[in-house]
Amino acid sequence: MNASPVTTQPLSSKSAMNNLSRKEYRGAREALIGGIAIFWVLPTILESLLLAISRDHESFPFVWALLVAVGWLYAVVIGAHTVCRDWGKAEEHFLLAMPVSARQVIWAKLKAGAAVVLLVLFVAAAWDFSMLHWGAFERGWDAPTTVTTIRWALLWTWVFVVGYVIGFTAAVVTRQMLASTLVGCLALIVWLVAPLISSRLQFLHPNWWSTLESASSSTDRSWLGFGWPFVVLTALGLV
C-alpha cells in the first residue's frame, strides 16, 4: 500500500509578513527592556525616593535629565541595532528566503524599532510631565506655558525621530552597528553645533531657540516659532 505524498501549501506573502513582524517585535524585547530600565525604572525610583525623603516633599526631574543627556543616543542605537542584529549576517539569508521582499523586511524592522523608541521615550516623558503637573518638583521647575511645552516636546520628538531614522538608514547601507551609531551621533552633533559656528546655518535651529519669544508673539513666526526652513529641512531629512 503506497503512502500518499505529503503536500505542503506555500506560505502566503501576508502570513510571511505577519510572521516577520512578530519576529521583529520579539527581537526588540531586549532593547525595550533596557530602555525601560534606564528611562522608567531608574528615574522613577530616584524621583520617588527624593520625594519621600525631601523635607519639602519635592523631587527632581530625573527622566527629563536622562532624556536630554542620552535619549537621542538611545534612539540612534535602537535604529542601528534593529537592523544589525541579523541584517548582514547569516540570518539575512533566512529572512530573504521567505516570500517577502527586502523592502518588506526593512519596513518590518523600521516599525518594530520605532515602536520601541516611541514607547520608551514618550511614556517616560509623560511620567515627568505628570509629576510637573502635580507640583512634585522643586519650585524652580514651574510649569511652562502651553506654547513652550509644545515647542520643546516637538523639538525633542524631532531629535529622537531623526536620530532613529539616521541610525536605521546608516545600518541598512553599512550593515555595521558601530559605524551606523557613529554616523547618527555625528549627524545630530552637526545639527546642534553648525549654527553656532556660522550664522548662515541658523536655519538648522528653530527661530525661538535664540530669540526666546514669548507665547503672545509666537504667532509672528510660522509654526509655533520654529520657522518653515527648520520644519521643511527636518521633514526632508526624514524622507
Side-chain angles (χ1 to χ4, degrees):
M1 185 174 181
N2 296 328
S4 59
V6 178
T7 59
T8 58
Q9 295 182 351
L11 190 65
S12 66
S13 178
K14 183 177 181 180
S15 298
M17 191 64 187
N18 291 335
N19 292 337
L20 177 62
S21 298
R22 285 194 291 268
K23 171 192 172 299
E24 292 301 328
Y25 284 115
R26 287 195 301 268
R29 285 183 297 185
E30 293 182 1
L32 177 62
I33 293 173
I36 289 175
I38 296 172
F39 297 102
W40 290 15
V41 178
L42 177 61
T44 301
I45 292 175
L46 293 176
E47 289 180 4
S48 300
L49 287 176
L50 188 58
L51 188 64
I53 65 177
S54 174
R55 180 178 302 177
D56 298 326
H57 296 289
E58 295 175 338
S59 187
F60 179 81
F62 288 102
V63 173
W64 285 356
L66 284 173
L67 288 178
V68 172
V70 296
W72 57 274
L73 178 60
Y74 178 79
V76 173
V77 170
I78 293 302
H81 176 264
T82 302
V83 177
C84 294
R85 63 170 174 253
D86 50 20
W87 200 252
K89 300 179 181 178
E91 291 84 351
E92 179 181 352
H93 301 289
F94 169 75
L95 294 176
L96 297 179
M98 302 174 66
V100 293
S101 64
R103 179 177 297 181
Q104 289 175 311
V105 174
I106 293 174
W107 176 244
K109 289 180 173 295
L110 183 67
K111 292 190 297 182
V116 172
V117 172
L118 290 174
L119 181 61
V120 170
L121 298 183
F122 293 106
V123 171
W127 163 262
D128 256 15
F129 182 79
S130 63
M131 292 280 285
L132 180 65
H133 179 72
W134 296 331
F137 296 139
E138 298 174 358
R139 293 182 178 86
W141 295 89
D142 296 330
T145 63
T146 302
V147 172
T148 302
T149 302
I150 294 175
R151 283 175 173 178
W152 283 107
L154 288 175
L155 178 62
W156 282 110
T157 299
W158 282 334
V159 170
F160 297 150
V161 173
V162 170
Y164 169 75
V165 171
I166 294 176
F168 185 92
T169 305
V172 172
V173 175
T174 65
R175 290 170 166 78
Q176 298 293 326
M177 178 72 183
L178 179 59
S180 305
T181 302
L182 291 177
V183 168
C185 293
L186 181 61
L188 293 182
I189 292 173
V190 170
W191 187 12
L192 172 65
V193 175
L196 304 178
I197 299 176
S198 175
S199 59
R200 297 181 179 179
L201 300 175
Q202 287 297 328
F203 62 89
L204 293 175
H205 284 175
N207 290 337
W208 55 264
W209 184 280
S210 57
T211 58
L212 296 178
E213 297 173 327
S214 62
S216 60
S217 63
S218 62
T219 55
D220 297 335
R221 299 279 186 174
S222 58
W223 232 80
L224 290 173
F226 279 93
W228 285 116
F230 176 84
V231 176
V232 173
L233 182 65
T234 305
L236 289 177
L238 295 177
V239 174

